[in-house]
Amino acid sequence: MLTYLTAGESHGPELSGILTGVPAGLSLDIDQINQALADRQGGYGRGNRQKIEHDEVVITGGVRHGQTLGSPIALTIRNRDHAQWSKIMHPTAAANAENTLRAVSRPRPGHADLVGGMKYGHRDLRNVLERSSARETAMRVAIGNICKQVLAALDIQIIGYVAAIGGQGADPEQLTDVAQIQAKIQTNDLRITEAAQVTPIHELIDQTKKQGDTLGGIIRVVANNVPAGLGSYVSWDTKLDAKIAAAVMGVNAMKGVEIGDGFENAAHPGSEVMDEIDWTAGQGFSRNSDHLGGFEGGMTSGMPVIVKAAMKPIPTLYKPLQSADINSKEVKQATVERSDTTAIVPASIVIESVVAIELAKAITDTFDGSNMTRLQAQLAAYRQELSQY
Ligand SMILES: Cc1cc2nc3c(=O)[nH]c(=O)nc-3n(C[C@H](O)[C@H](O)[C@H](O)COP(=O)(O)O)c2cc1C
């Protein structure tokens, strides 16, 4: 079973990850993982933390001479910023007057700070914010990229990009071809497809930053050549669209998930929404549209998988919001921790990563995921079988 776990605090020594269930015999390209990590650090509207970090993954288990072994893959990403925090975030040195200097007592609205402190009984809310920080998503991107490489070896392509920022749409075409989307988004630092929106959105971000405010947006993920029949209709917890929705909601700041034209479909009659079925000799079954985002009955339909995510605006504002001190109980301005104006660009790579993980999981659940060559052969045979159905 393909599954993973991450550990590590935002300013701790490093992030750690363990990914199990990757087939043996995958040629792993470390440069691709590092490129995905670099992409996660880019994008217009980021704060200064990204100037400090230059994420690079170190693989310490599960891979030999560039090939996966089928054993758990162990990964680490060093936090360069830890050098400034080595006393405050020391894992084992006992707390003293010096290393507890940056204690947090004014919880930031929209963060885990207050409720996390209440639940775990922390009196220094740094104990909450260090782990709830989206720094952890760097590891999910590294793990997601390994899964993306599994998918690529099975001729499945996936991309996540930015469809809107702060209410400003930037994706009028809603393309369903990954290569076409890739060609368009790599021309700008917003990961958007509509070049004409780059300058207006830069201006919007600059203006928002000047006002000490923040922005959210909409992310869209498209996957091509996903075979029909991943996931199952038989029980609620076997439905793949549900698993993808959970994975997307598991990413910091995501407040909505949509499969295909989900919310828009709700406003249309059924005759305009269903993806009518066609059949041609040689090609077999296909659909005339993809309003349902490549899913029927919790299973992939063979059409492009389309997932959208709504990201709330960044909760840390330089124009601070009202909070109340957990010690003095005085109503005061919330703590400001170094922050982005918008993180929609890196978030689009994180969402791409978690969808890739769910697709790789579904494939290795459906076919024998012990060995890459066997998996490729089984999937090819399955695709052939479906084309004859
Ligand atoms: C890639 C990424 C970067 C983020 N960067 C920041 C940031 O710089 N400052 C901030 O306050 N929140 C940031 N967030 C959002 C918070 O991590 C998130 O809102 C917070 O942990 C509370 O979780 P929730 O919004 O899921 O309830 C970021 C989220 C993502 C996905």
Side-chain angles (χ1 to χ4, degrees):
M1 171 134 144
L2 193 147
T3 184
Y4 73 94
L5 192 65
T6 74
E9 275 62 44
S10 179
H11 298 99
E14 61 187 32
L15 301 172
S16 311
I18 293 191
L19 170 63
T20 64
V22 173
L26 173 74
S27 295
L28 202 58
D29 182 350
I30 306 295
D31 293 343
Q32 262 191 54
I33 305 177
N34 286 329
Q35 185 57 54
L37 291 173
D39 290 346
R40 195 201 76 97
Q41 294 192 271
Y44 203 78
R46 308 298 312 276
N48 288 332
R49 173 82 190 257
Q50 306 314 318
K51 292 183 187 135
I52 298 166
E53 300 296 347
H54 295 282
D55 289 339
E56 269 184 33
V57 74
V58 177
I59 296 187
T60 55
V63 182
R64 185 167 181 231
H65 306 315
Q67 301 278 311
T68 56
L69 298 174
S71 49
I73 299 178
L75 313 131
T76 61
I77 300 170
R78 197 158 67 85
N79 289 324
R80 291 193 187 207
D81 204 12
H82 179 66
Q84 330 299 324
W85 294 79
S86 56
K87 288 195 176 135
I88 290 173
M89 291 304 296
H90 197 287
T92 53
N96 58 39
E98 194 194 355
N99 67 18
T100 49
L101 275 179
R102 295 199 55 180
V104 175
S105 61
R106 284 171 286 140
R108 299 161 303 164
H111 271 282
D113 303 1
L114 179 59
V115 190
M118 288 171 158
K119 178 176 170 74
Y120 289 96
H122 292 307
R123 300 305 305 178
D124 177 357
L125 301 180
R126 179 161 300 288
N127 292 341
V128 178
L129 71 86
E130 283 289 333
R131 178 62 185 165
S132 66
S133 154
R135 172 81 190 132
E136 181 270 348
T137 61
M139 185 50 79
R140 275 189 268 183
V141 167
I143 288 169
N145 188 270
I146 296 176
C147 293
K148 217 178 139 175
Q149 292 190 41
V150 171
L151 297 178
L154 300 169
D155 199 21
I156 296 168
Q157 301 80 33
I158 182 166
I159 191 122
Y161 66 102
V162 175
I165 300 183
Q168 212 148 313
D171 189 34
E173 290 181 282
Q174 307 251 310
L175 295 167
T176 56
D177 183 88
V178 169
Q180 282 178 4
I181 295 168
Q182 176 74 50
K184 291 195 177 228
I185 64 170
Q186 68 192 17
T187 62
N188 63 73
D189 59 4
L190 293 171
R191 253 178 117 78
I192 59 172
T193 55
E194 193 185 16
Q197 280 297 331
V198 172
T199 304
I201 292 179
H202 279 173
E203 284 167 7
L204 172 68
I205 294 172
D206 292 346
Q207 189 59 28
T208 306
K209 186 175 182 179
K210 247 184 238 154
Q211 291 163 351
D213 220 324
T214 60
L215 296 168
I218 308 282
I219 292 158
R220 187 166 182 260
V221 176
V222 175
N224 288 164
N225 205 24
V226 180
L230 298 182
S232 172
Y233 60 92
V234 300
S235 297
W236 68 271
D237 56 353
T238 59
K239 292 175 190 253
L240 181 55
D241 47 1
K243 291 179 187 181
I244 287 175
V248 169
M249 286 301 291
V251 175
N252 311 44
M254 297 306 143
K255 293 293 143 199
V257 190
E258 190 178 35
I259 304 288
D261 299 333
F263 286 93
E264 179 65 31
N265 285 343
H268 288 261
S271 57
E272 294 173 12
V273 166
M274 303 311 142
D275 301 315
E276 290 187 275
I277 298 170
D278 204 359
W279 186 89
T280 47
Q283 210 200 330
F285 288 98
S286 64
R287 307 305 170 106
N288 297 333
S289 57
D290 193 19
H291 298 298
L292 301 178
F295 279 97
E296 281 170 330
M299 298 170 293
T300 49
S301 67
M303 291 299 284
V305 166
I306 298 173
V307 181
K308 282 192 222 148
M311 183 178 191
K312 77 183 188 188
I314 293 289
T316 305
L317 270 61
Y318 283 99
K319 174 176 73 180
L321 298 169
Q322 181 179 310
S323 182
D325 193 289
I326 60 164
N327 298 321
S328 69
K329 310 297 191 280
E330 263 179 284
V331 172
K332 280 184 172 175
Q333 289 186 333
T335 301
V336 177
E337 192 88 353
R338 188 175 42 209
S339 193
D340 302 328
T341 305
T342 179
I344 191 79
V345 174
S348 69
I349 293 155
V350 180
I351 298 298
E352 171 190 294
S353 304
V354 299
V355 176
I357 294 169
E358 291 311 311
L359 290 177
K361 216 184 256 187
I363 286 175
T364 50
D365 282 351
T366 309
F367 305 99
D368 181 350
S370 323
N371 173 278
M372 203 61 220
T373 311
R374 194 181 309 127
L375 177 59
Q376 283 164 328
Q378 287 191 1
L379 189 59
Y382 177 70
R383 283 185 163 130
Q384 174 65 16
E385 182 191 327
L386 292 194
S387 71
Q388 305 297 316
Y389 180 78

PDB file of all heavy atoms in Angstrom, residues 157-172:
ATOM      1  N   GLN A 157       0.064  12.003 -17.276  1.00  0.00           N
ATOM      2  CA  GLN A 157       0.623  13.331 -17.035  1.00  0.00           C
ATOM      3  C   GLN A 157      -0.304  14.107 -16.100  1.00  0.00           C
ATOM      4  O   GLN A 157      -1.524  13.960 -16.155  1.00  0.00           O
ATOM      5  CB  GLN A 157       0.766  14.124 -18.354  1.00  0.00           C
ATOM      6  CG  GLN A 157       1.656  13.462 -19.397  1.00  0.00           C
ATOM      7  CD  GLN A 157       0.956  12.368 -20.178  1.00  0.00           C
ATOM      8  OE1 GLN A 157      -0.242  12.442 -20.425  1.00  0.00           O
ATOM      9  NE2 GLN A 157       1.697  11.337 -20.558  1.00  0.00           N
ATOM     10  N   ILE A 158       0.302  14.955 -15.277  1.00  0.00           N
ATOM     11  CA  ILE A 158      -0.499  15.747 -14.338  1.00  0.00           C
ATOM     12  C   ILE A 158       0.119  17.129 -14.187  1.00  0.00           C
ATOM     13  O   ILE A 158       1.345  17.274 -14.203  1.00  0.00           O
ATOM     14  CB  ILE A 158      -0.623  15.018 -12.975  1.00  0.00           C
ATOM     15  CG1 ILE A 158      -1.498  15.810 -12.003  1.00  0.00           C
ATOM     16  CG2 ILE A 158       0.725  14.707 -12.351  1.00  0.00           C
ATOM     17  CD1 ILE A 158      -1.945  15.017 -10.781  1.00  0.00           C
ATOM     18  N   ILE A 159      -0.752  18.130 -14.006  1.00  0.00           N
ATOM     19  CA  ILE A 159      -0.252  19.487 -13.762  1.00  0.00           C
ATOM     20  C   ILE A 159      -1.216  20.240 -12.845  1.00  0.00           C
ATOM     21  O   ILE A 159      -2.433  20.069 -12.940  1.00  0.00           O
ATOM     22  CB  ILE A 159      -0.064  20.253 -15.108  1.00  0.00           C
ATOM     23  CG1 ILE A 159       0.695  21.553 -14.883  1.00  0.00           C
ATOM     24  CG2 ILE A 159      -1.380  20.590 -15.768  1.00  0.00           C
ATOM     25  CD1 ILE A 159       1.931  21.661 -15.665  1.00  0.00           C
ATOM     26  N   GLY A 160      -0.640  21.056 -11.957  1.00  0.00           N
ATOM     27  CA  GLY A 160      -1.449  21.947 -11.121  1.00  0.00           C
ATOM     28  C   GLY A 160      -1.048  23.372 -11.437  1.00  0.00           C
ATOM     29  O   GLY A 160       0.148  23.654 -11.620  1.00  0.00           O
ATOM     30  N   TYR A 161      -2.016  24.258 -11.534  1.00  0.00           N
ATOM     31  CA  TYR A 161      -1.692  25.644 -11.874  1.00  0.00           C
ATOM     32  C   TYR A 161      -2.730  26.564 -11.251  1.00  0.00           C
ATOM     33  O   TYR A 161      -3.661  26.120 -10.566  1.00  0.00           O
ATOM     34  CB  TYR A 161      -1.580  25.826 -13.393  1.00  0.00           C
ATOM     35  CG  TYR A 161      -2.880  25.641 -14.149  1.00  0.00           C
ATOM     36  CD1 TYR A 161      -3.616  26.749 -14.602  1.00  0.00           C
ATOM     37  CD2 TYR A 161      -3.391  24.375 -14.408  1.00  0.00           C
ATOM     38  CE1 TYR A 161      -4.798  26.599 -15.298  1.00  0.00           C
ATOM     39  CE2 TYR A 161      -4.576  24.213 -15.104  1.00  0.00           C
ATOM     40  CZ  TYR A 161      -5.275  25.325 -15.548  1.00  0.00           C
ATOM     41  OH  TYR A 161      -6.454  25.170 -16.225  1.00  0.00           O
ATOM     42  N   VAL A 162      -2.555  27.877 -11.508  1.00  0.00           N
ATOM     43  CA  VAL A 162      -3.389  28.874 -10.841  1.00  0.00           C
ATOM     44  C   VAL A 162      -4.472  29.347 -11.811  1.00  0.00           C
ATOM     45  O   VAL A 162      -4.167  29.806 -12.914  1.00  0.00           O
ATOM     46  CB  VAL A 162      -2.513  30.058 -10.360  1.00  0.00           C
ATOM     47  CG1 VAL A 162      -3.374  31.153  -9.770  1.00  0.00           C
ATOM     48  CG2 VAL A 162      -1.476  29.558  -9.357  1.00  0.00           C
ATOM     49  N   ALA A 163      -5.725  29.225 -11.390  1.00  0.00           N
ATOM     50  CA  ALA A 163      -6.845  29.612 -12.257  1.00  0.00           C
ATOM     51  C   ALA A 163      -7.372  31.006 -11.917  1.00  0.00           C
ATOM     52  O   ALA A 163      -7.962  31.680 -12.773  1.00  0.00           O
ATOM     53  CB  ALA A 163      -7.969  28.587 -12.147  1.00  0.00           C
ATOM     54  N   ALA A 164      -7.183  31.462 -10.676  1.00  0.00           N
ATOM     55  CA  ALA A 164      -7.650  32.799 -10.271  1.00  0.00           C
ATOM     56  C   ALA A 164      -6.880  33.230  -9.031  1.00  0.00           C
ATOM     57  O   ALA A 164      -6.465  32.385  -8.224  1.00  0.00           O
ATOM     58  CB  ALA A 164      -9.152  32.773  -9.972  1.00  0.00           C
ATOM     59  N   ILE A 165      -6.670  34.530  -8.896  1.00  0.00           N
ATOM     60  CA  ILE A 165      -6.007  35.068  -7.704  1.00  0.00           C
ATOM     61  C   ILE A 165      -6.854  36.230  -7.195  1.00  0.00           C
ATOM     62  O   ILE A 165      -7.177  37.158  -7.958  1.00  0.00           O
ATOM     63  CB  ILE A 165      -4.572  35.571  -8.019  1.00  0.00           C
ATOM     64  CG1 ILE A 165      -3.719  34.414  -8.564  1.00  0.00           C
ATOM     65  CG2 ILE A 165      -3.929  36.208  -6.783  1.00  0.00           C
ATOM     66  CD1 ILE A 165      -2.264  34.748  -8.844  1.00  0.00           C
ATOM     67  N   GLY A 166      -7.238  36.149  -5.941  1.00  0.00           N
ATOM     68  CA  GLY A 166      -7.999  37.242  -5.339  1.00  0.00           C
ATOM     69  C   GLY A 166      -9.210  37.664  -6.158  1.00  0.00           C
ATOM     70  O   GLY A 166      -9.486  38.849  -6.307  1.00  0.00           O
ATOM     71  N   GLY A 167      -9.921  36.704  -6.716  1.00  0.00           N
ATOM     72  CA  GLY A 167     -11.147  37.035  -7.465  1.00  0.00           C
ATOM     73  C   GLY A 167     -10.897  37.388  -8.918  1.00  0.00           C
ATOM     74  O   GLY A 167     -11.832  37.558  -9.697  1.00  0.00           O
ATOM     75  N   GLN A 168      -9.607  37.525  -9.308  1.00  0.00           N
ATOM     76  CA  GLN A 168      -9.295  37.857 -10.692  1.00  0.00           C
ATOM     77  C   GLN A 168      -9.018  36.566 -11.477  1.00  0.00           C
ATOM     78  O   GLN A 168      -8.005  35.902 -11.248  1.00  0.00           O
ATOM     79  CB  GLN A 168      -8.063  38.760 -10.732  1.00  0.00           C
ATOM     80  CG  GLN A 168      -8.116  39.725 -11.889  1.00  0.00           C
ATOM     81  CD  GLN A 168      -7.428  41.037 -11.512  1.00  0.00           C
ATOM     82  OE1 GLN A 168      -7.670  41.607 -10.438  1.00  0.00           O
ATOM     83  NE2 GLN A 168      -6.560  41.509 -12.369  1.00  0.00           N
ATOM     84  N   GLY A 169      -9.913  36.228 -12.398  1.00  0.00           N
ATOM     85  CA  GLY A 169      -9.784  34.997 -13.173  1.00  0.00           C
ATOM     86  C   GLY A 169      -8.620  35.089 -14.158  1.00  0.00           C
ATOM     87  O   GLY A 169      -8.329  36.164 -14.693  1.00  0.00           O
ATOM     88  N   ALA A 170      -7.955  33.958 -14.403  1.00  0.00           N
ATOM     89  CA  ALA A 170      -6.804  33.963 -15.305  1.00  0.00           C
ATOM     90  C   ALA A 170      -6.736  32.671 -16.098  1.00  0.00           C
ATOM     91  O   ALA A 170      -5.667  32.225 -16.488  1.00  0.00           O
ATOM     92  CB  ALA A 170      -5.525  34.163 -14.492  1.00  0.00           C
ATOM     93  N   ASP A 171      -7.922  32.056 -16.318  1.00  0.00           N
ATOM     94  CA  ASP A 171      -7.929  30.755 -16.987  1.00  0.00           C
ATOM     95  C   ASP A 171      -9.188  30.603 -17.834  1.00  0.00           C
ATOM     96  O   ASP A 171      -9.987  29.686 -17.626  1.00  0.00           O
ATOM     97  CB  ASP A 171      -7.868  29.643 -15.915  1.00  0.00           C
ATOM     98  CG  ASP A 171      -7.657  28.270 -16.536  1.00  0.00           C
ATOM     99  OD1 ASP A 171      -6.954  28.184 -17.563  1.00  0.00           O
ATOM    100  OD2 ASP A 171      -8.182  27.285 -15.981  1.00  0.00           O
ATOM    101  N   PRO A 172      -9.373  31.527 -18.824  1.00  0.00           N
ATOM    102  CA  PRO A 172     -10.646  31.498 -19.557  1.00  0.00           C
ATOM    103  C   PRO A 172     -10.840  30.234 -20.377  1.00  0.00           C
ATOM    104  O   PRO A 172     -11.973  29.794 -20.565  1.00  0.00           O
ATOM    105  CB  PRO A 172     -10.541  32.736 -20.471  1.00  0.00           C
ATOM    106  CG  PRO A 172      -9.090  33.039 -20.562  1.00  0.00           C
ATOM    107  CD  PRO A 172      -8.460  32.558 -19.300  1.00  0.00           C
TER     108      PRO A 172
END
